[in-house]
Amino acid sequence: MKKKAIVITGFMALILLASNLLAASNLKAKANSSVTELKGGEEVTVTLRFDEYQQIKNGINAYKATLEYDKQIFEEVTEKDFVCQNDWEELKYNKDTGEFVAIKKVGSNTPEDVVKLTLKANETVKATTTDIKIKDIVTSEGERDIQIAETKVTINVIEEQTEQPDKPEQPEQEKITSQKYTITKDYIERILPNTTIKQFKENVTLENVTTDPQMVFTDSEGMPLEENSIITTGTKVKIGKTLQFTLVVIGDIDNDGDIGINDIAQLKLHIIEKQALENVALKAADLDNDGDITIGDLAQMKLILIGLFELE
């Protein structure tokens, strides 16, 4: 009699186990996508839904799943791309494994969406077909794990075949050249002392400059200059629509357009490191054009001042 009771108890346990497995197999997951095809740079939203709760009694209040997608097609998914639905909350996502998990305070026992996920296609993606899978889905009522079959959506990635519009013709680049002056990105250098704007214009060549006037000269205060004005170190010239330069007169450290006693005094102070020259004044002080300010520049300036040396 005792052996019979044991057999019956074991049989009932098997029935209960089978019932549990049946309950586990009834709950389903379904993934739906907002679009079935997309182009590079476009987005798709995938919604995960749980359905067929018939044998769920207390309500499920936690689930875990794994996201699988092609990282060659979609940009990397991060936790902010997930949005919980219907009071599911505190979702955490591991981008290295694709696993994500969420909980719900009040157990769910009716069909509902649980999370929405947005993926963005890479801009340079090629035409193909790809699956976004949600697999290894496990949920629980708090007593046992319930395994749910994986679900997926299939997306057709297409390439846009529209013709590229013709690029508008670019205007030819404005340009200034000179056989007399040194022209760099921001400066025009090696201008002789006492050069007028008219003389300067005679020694430069302009290309593709269509503005009227072609060149506008201003002093260091921004005031416009006339044709017979003397160019000084620091004079600005705007050429056409795109070019602007600061002019540098050889030896004109004090910005008066000529070489004088004051220029020599400032050069002396620079050489003994008592009052350093800067910016355009430093460029003007390089009389021998060797890229350095030395005693040779001072000697040359002195010779110019007494008429024993002439700049060319």
Side-chain angles (χ1 to χ4, degrees):
M1 190 71 177
K2 185 175 181 181
K3 186 180 292 187
K4 185 176 181 181
I6 293 172
V7 171
I8 293 172
T9 301
F11 182 69
M12 292 298 293
L14 288 173
I15 293 175
L16 181 59
L17 178 60
S19 175
N20 285 344
L21 291 174
L22 180 62
S25 64
N26 282 346
L27 188 62
K28 293 183 179 179
K30 175 66 176 176
N32 296 301
S33 62
S34 58
V35 296
T36 57
E37 65 178 32
L38 51 73
K39 304 170 187 173
E42 293 183 341
E43 295 180 342
V44 56
T45 298
V46 177
T47 302
L48 176 62
R49 180 179 180 83
F50 288 159
D51 208 341
E52 299 196 21
Y53 283 74
Q54 289 87 336
Q55 298 191 41
I56 300 297
K57 296 179 181 179
N58 299 325
I60 58 174
N61 52 22
Y63 74 88
K64 181 175 81 74
T66 300
L67 171 67
E68 183 179 284
Y69 66 98
D70 191 332
K71 294 183 179 179
Q72 299 297 316
I73 296 175
F74 295 101
E75 295 181 0
E76 186 175 54
V77 171
T78 63
E79 195 169 291
K80 66 180 179 59
D81 296 315
F82 292 83
V83 179
C84 290
Q85 306 292 302
N86 294 304
D87 297 325
W88 286 92
E89 58 186 7
E90 296 185 23
L91 185 140
K92 297 297 179 185
Y93 173 64
N94 183 339
K95 66 180 183 180
D96 296 325
T97 64
E99 295 176 302
F100 59 99
V101 62
I103 61 173
K104 189 172 185 179
K105 292 179 181 178
V106 178
S108 173
N109 56 18
T110 58
E112 64 182 7
D113 298 339
V114 297
V115 69
K116 287 188 177 182
L117 165 65
T118 300
L119 298 93
K120 184 176 181 180
N122 291 313
E123 293 284 351
T124 56
V125 69
K126 300 297 183 182
T128 188
T129 299
T130 187
D131 289 335
I132 302 170
K133 293 183 180 180
I134 300 177
K135 61 182 189 178
D136 305 328
I137 308 169
V138 183
T139 187
S140 176
E141 289 185 278
E143 297 178 356
R144 67 189 190 283
D145 289 347
I146 302 172
Q147 307 289 333
I148 305 177
E150 72 175 40
T151 181
K152 69 178 182 179
V153 295
T154 300
I155 304 295
N156 293 315
V157 181
I158 60 175
E159 291 184 66
E160 194 167 5
Q161 300 297 323
T162 56
E163 292 185 5
Q164 295 297 320
D166 293 334
K167 291 184 177 179
E169 285 189 19
Q170 297 295 323
E172 293 188 77
Q173 187 176 13
E174 295 173 325
K175 189 175 181 181
I176 179 173
T177 56
S178 176
Q179 294 184 347
K180 189 174 183 67
Y181 308 132
T182 300
I183 301 175
T184 58
K185 179 182 177 184
D186 297 310
Y187 299 94
I188 299 178
E189 304 177 49
R190 308 304 296 172
I191 301 170
L192 293 177
N194 294 307
T195 297
T196 65
I197 288 175
K198 182 180 178 181
Q199 291 169 333
F200 175 88
K201 288 181 176 180
E202 291 171 353
N203 287 286
V204 297
T205 302
L206 303 182
E207 297 178 28
N208 307 316
V209 178
T210 58
T211 57
D212 186 21
Q214 292 180 306
M215 293 188 280
V216 177
F217 294 80
T218 55
D219 63 18
S220 58
E221 303 296 325
M223 299 300 294
L225 300 174
E226 303 295 334
E227 289 284 293
N228 59 349
S229 297
I230 297 294
I231 292 174
T232 66
T233 293
T235 296
K236 306 282 187 183
V237 58
K238 183 177 181 182
I239 302 171
K241 297 178 180 179
T242 60
L243 301 178
Q244 183 164 314
F245 299 92
T246 299
L247 307 185
V248 182
V249 176
I250 301 172
D252 178 26
I253 297 172
D254 62 0
N255 304 339
D256 67 355
D258 200 1
I259 295 176
I261 295 297
N262 193 42
D263 298 301
I264 289 180
Q266 291 190 46
L267 185 51
K268 286 178 180 177
L269 294 175
H270 176 83
I271 288 174
I272 63 173
E273 299 183 6
K274 187 172 182 180
Q275 188 174 321
L277 297 174
E278 297 179 345
N279 303 323
V280 289
L282 188 63
K283 291 179 177 292
D286 185 15
L287 276 79
D288 58 11
N289 199 28
D290 66 354
D292 246 344
I293 309 302
T294 66
I295 197 70
D297 297 298
L298 180 61
Q300 190 174 121
M301 184 178 286
K302 179 65 177 179
L303 291 173
I304 292 168
L305 192 61
I306 62 177
L308 296 179
F309 186 89
E310 187 174 344
L311 292 167
E312 296 181 357

